[in-house]
Amino acid sequence: MGYNGWNNYETWRIHLEILGDINFDEPTNKYELKDIVDDAVFDNSVQKDCLAADYARAFISNVDFEEIARTINEEIEKQ
């Protein structure tokens, strides 16, 4: 079951709101993307061990970073 052409809502939203505005010059992988998202979500958080952070981790755990990496890498190849 997908959402707006993506595997799920979480993947679509993370791509749209965190990764979508980054200009990648070189191919990437799911691990690099997860690190970028974790930095964006948790590095600015004062309380990393709170209920909101737990919900954020649960949301991020559903993201298909492989799908996002594949999409980014396909866009790079088109350039």
Side-chain angles (χ1 to χ4, degrees), residues 39-54:
D39 288 347
V41 173
F42 298 111
D43 277 1
N44 296 322
S45 176
V46 176
Q47 295 181 338
K48 294 182 181 183
D49 295 322
C50 66
L51 183 60
D54 289 343

Side-chain angles (χ1 to χ4, degrees), residues 7-74:
N7 186 34
N8 57 34
Y9 174 76
E10 296 87 348
T11 302
W12 169 77
R13 187 131 181 225
I14 291 294
H15 179 265
L16 177 71
E17 295 180 351
I18 297 178
L19 298 170
D21 290 333
I22 298 173
N23 291 320
F24 291 90
D25 296 327
E26 297 182 13
T28 189
N29 62 58
K30 64 183 180 181
Y31 305 106
E32 291 173 351
L33 297 178
K34 176 127 178 22
D35 286 344
I36 292 169
V37 171
D38 285 346
D39 288 347
V41 173
F42 298 111
D43 277 1
N44 296 322
S45 176
V46 176
Q47 295 181 338
K48 294 182 181 183
D49 295 322
C50 66
L51 183 60
D54 289 343
Y55 276 94
R57 283 186 195 92
F59 186 90
I60 292 169
S61 73
N62 290 316
V63 174
D64 186 344
F65 287 103
E66 185 69 39
E67 179 182 18
I68 297 173
R70 188 171 47 255
T71 300
I72 290 169
N73 294 338
E74 287 171 0

